[in-house]
Amino acid sequence: MATPDLTPRVLYQRGDHVCTLYNSPDQQLRAAIDFVRGGLARRERCIYVCCDQEPEVFRAALRAAGVDVAADEARGALILLTKHDAHLKGGAFNAEVTLDLLHAAVSDALAAGFAGLCTAADMTWLLDQAPGSEHIAEYEARLNRFLEHNPAVGLCQYSGSALPASTLEIGRAHV
């Protein structure tokens, strides 16, 4: 059996903030897996916020792509969260709270010896229309500034087939 090629297709670097549109779960998983693999290769702590799929589904997809999920989680290099652990913590979206979580995550990653933070999220939590969701454009703009000034990269994944065009246009205008 051949060893899987773990080289990421796209090379991201400190400060990058990428917003992608996907039209199928397969496209979404491929992009997220590639992003996480790149972060692991750069010796960054990788945090992925699952939304459409449960963390165990994402773990299985990572394993199928050749990532040693158990070892990476055990050493703290890989952390999988749900939308309720991140963007919708407390039942509402608050950009300030989310950015505070990211500041703490960068500090924790550096203190643990990682080169930085690689953070990615499936943004379909916006379909929940939780209080505060209307501030997503402001959050994306603030996230740009956060990533510019921290040893971090970020990926926000938007479903082109599930999210309304108005949400997708707002995100494009501020990213």
Side-chain angles (χ1 to χ4, degrees):
M1 177 178 206
T3 303
D5 180 11
L6 299 181
T7 306
R9 292 176 288 157
V10 179
L11 299 177
Y12 298 101
Q13 57 189 326
R14 179 183 172 165
D16 284 346
H17 177 200
V18 181
C19 289
T20 61
L21 293 177
Y22 64 89
N23 291 310
S24 71
D26 186 54
Q27 282 181 338
Q28 187 264 331
L29 281 173
R30 277 196 320 258
I33 289 166
D34 194 53
F35 192 76
V36 168
R37 286 191 334 193
L40 292 170
R42 292 186 304 271
R43 299 182 324 106
E44 297 165 344
R45 173 171 280 163
C46 297
I47 296 177
Y48 184 72
V49 180
C50 298
C51 195
D52 267 358
Q53 75 278 122
E54 294 294 318
E56 192 48 49
V57 172
F58 192 66
R59 281 184 186 97
L62 285 169
R63 282 191 293 271
V67 175
D68 188 344
V69 174
D72 288 331
E73 284 185 313
R75 67 185 181 90
L78 177 64
I79 299 171
L80 302 183
L81 303 173
T82 68
K83 61 186 176 181
H84 302 291
D85 300 320
H87 297 94
L88 298 181
K89 193 172 182 95
F93 176 66
N94 182 313
E96 195 67 38
V97 169
T98 304
L99 289 166
D100 286 347
L101 289 170
L102 288 172
H103 277 285
V106 167
S107 295
D108 291 347
L110 295 174
F114 293 97
L117 182 69
C118 174
T119 182
D122 176 356
M123 303 297 282
T124 53
W125 57 265
L126 288 163
L127 291 171
D128 294 357
Q129 297 182 347
S133 296
E134 66 275 11
H135 300 291
I136 190 62
E138 173 195 345
Y139 168 72
E140 288 287 0
R142 291 181 66 191
L143 183 58
N144 277 340
R145 289 189 297 278
F146 168 82
L147 293 168
E148 287 172 8
H149 300 292
N150 287 280
V153 295
L155 171 68
C156 297
Q157 296 185 293
Y158 289 89
S159 172
S161 59
L163 291 166
S166 59
T167 298
L168 300 176
E169 287 302 318
I170 289 170
R172 284 186 204 155
H174 293 282
V175 176

